[in-house]
Amino acid sequence: MRDATGERDCVIALDVGGTGMKGALVDRDMAVLHTVRRATPRRWGPDAVIAEIAAVLHELDRNAVTRELTVRGAGVVVPGIVDEETRTAVYSANLGWRDLPLADYLEGASGLPVTLGHDVRAGGVAECRLGAGRGADDVWFVPIGTGISAAVFCDGRPVRARGYAGELGHVVVDPGGEPCVCGARGCLEGVASAAAVAAAYSARSGRRVEGAASVAERLTQGDPDARAVWARAVEALSAALATAATLLAPEVVVLGGGLAEAGGLLLDPLRASLARRLTFQRRPELLLAELGDMAGCLGAGLAAWQAAGGVPSAQHPPVSLSEVAS
C-alpha cells in the first residue's frame, strides 16, 4: 500500500453497468481495500446516471480520506461504445447517452484525474493480468450475460478500433433468425446470451424461467426443451468463435458472465463443437473467467494506476471480496 516515499496511496475503480455500479479502493498490489455497490438509476435518464457516478466517486474519495489514503486517480468503465482516446462515451443504448465527454465532466465534478474505459475491455485486461488469461498474448474475453461482447487482445495489445471492435454478439449466426435490437437478424446475442436462452426456453416449453441458470438446472434433469435450447446456443457460440479463430487466432478464450457459470455444461459441448468446426486454425483453449463480476472494476483500477504512472506489480491475486469490509 506504500510507495517508495512511504505515502499510503490508492486509486478509485468504478464499473458502471446497466443495472448496478461496483466501486472500490485499490492499492498498488491490486488488493481491494473497500467496495461499494449502488443501483444504476437509468430509469431516470442519463443525467441521473451521471450524477450517481459522480456521487459514488465522492463517496469513495471520502472513504479514502478516513483511511488516510492518498487517491492517485480514478478509473471509470462504462458499457456501449467508448472512445478512450477522446475520453468520450460515444453511445450506450442502455444508459441513454451519445457523444458524452464523460471523463471531462467527472473530473470537474470530483476534482480527480479520471481515466475512461469500456467495461468489457477493462474486464479483459483484468483477466489477462490477474485472472484466467495470465501468460497469454492473444486472448478473447467473452462475457455472456444479458448481452454478449468481447475484449480482443492481439500480441498483448487491446484491439479498440475507436470503440467499435469486439461486438461478437452481433455476428450473424442465423441469417433467417429473429430481429435483433441492433437492426440485423439472427445475431449471436439473440440466440446465445443468457437472456436469449431463458426467453427461448420459456417460449418453447410454455414454462417461464427467470434466467439461464434455471435452464441449466433443467438440462441436468434431462428436460428435452432445455436440451434443445442449450444445444442451439452452444452451436451459435461455436460458429462465432470459429470465425474469431479464423480471423484473429486467439490462443485463449476466457468465458465469463451468467451463462459461463454453468461450467462444464457449457464448456464441454462448446469445446467439442468448436473442434469439429476448425481444421487448420489454431484451436483456442476455452477457460472460465476467474474474477467474477469484479473483473470490470479491477480493470478500471489497472487503468487508473497506469494513468497515474504507477503501474501495479499485480504479483498477487486481488483480495477476496469476502475479506473486504464494505
Side-chain angles (χ1 to χ4, degrees), residues 55-143:
V56 173
L57 292 179
H58 276 299
E59 179 180 344
L60 287 165
D61 192 29
R62 288 195 301 270
N63 187 273
V65 171
T66 64
R67 295 168 182 263
E68 299 182 341
L69 296 170
T70 299
V71 176
R72 297 288 303 278
V76 177
V77 299
V78 298
I81 297 172
V82 180
D83 187 338
E84 286 96 341
E85 291 183 9
T86 63
R87 296 158 34 98
T88 303
V90 177
Y91 175 71
S92 173
N94 288 333
L95 299 180
W97 54 48
R98 184 184 292 272
D99 296 325
L100 175 68
L102 184 57
D104 289 344
Y105 174 82
L106 294 176
E107 285 184 343
S110 68
L112 296 168
V114 173
T115 302
L116 183 67
H118 182 259
D119 56 351
V120 175
R121 281 195 293 277
V125 170
E127 286 288 349
C128 286
R129 288 287 306 277
L130 307 169
R134 289 189 304 274
D137 287 331
D138 302 312
V139 181
W140 282 53
F141 171 57
V142 183

Side-chain angles (χ1 to χ4, degrees), residues 178-239:
E178 295 297 316
C180 178
V181 293
C182 75
R185 299 183 72 93
C187 291
L188 174 65
E189 191 169 289
V191 177
S193 68
V197 166
Y201 178 83
S202 297
R204 181 184 178 96
S205 68
R207 298 185 297 276
R208 180 175 175 77
V209 295
E210 294 300 324
S214 296
V215 180
E217 181 179 358
R218 286 164 169 77
L219 179 64
T220 63
Q221 297 168 354
D223 185 323
D225 292 317
R227 187 184 307 118
V229 168
W230 201 263
R232 182 169 180 254
V234 166
E235 287 303 309
L237 277 168
S238 174

Side-chain angles (χ1 to χ4, degrees), residues 7-97:
E7 184 181 20
R8 290 162 54 92
D9 54 5
C10 68
V11 295
I12 292 173
L14 181 59
D15 178 9
V16 180
T19 58
M21 303 182 188
K22 295 175 285 289
L25 299 178
V26 183
D27 74 6
R28 286 184 184 275
D29 293 323
M30 295 309 295
V32 177
L33 309 176
H34 175 74
T35 62
V36 299
R37 292 182 182 246
R38 296 288 181 269
T40 302
R42 64 175 182 173
R43 62 179 296 188
W44 304 112
D47 288 344
V49 174
I50 297 166
E52 185 66 9
I53 294 171
V56 173
L57 292 179
H58 276 299
E59 179 180 344
L60 287 165
D61 192 29
R62 288 195 301 270
N63 187 273
V65 171
T66 64
R67 295 168 182 263
E68 299 182 341
L69 296 170
T70 299
V71 176
R72 297 288 303 278
V76 177
V77 299
V78 298
I81 297 172
V82 180
D83 187 338
E84 286 96 341
E85 291 183 9
T86 63
R87 296 158 34 98
T88 303
V90 177
Y91 175 71
S92 173
N94 288 333
L95 299 180
W97 54 48

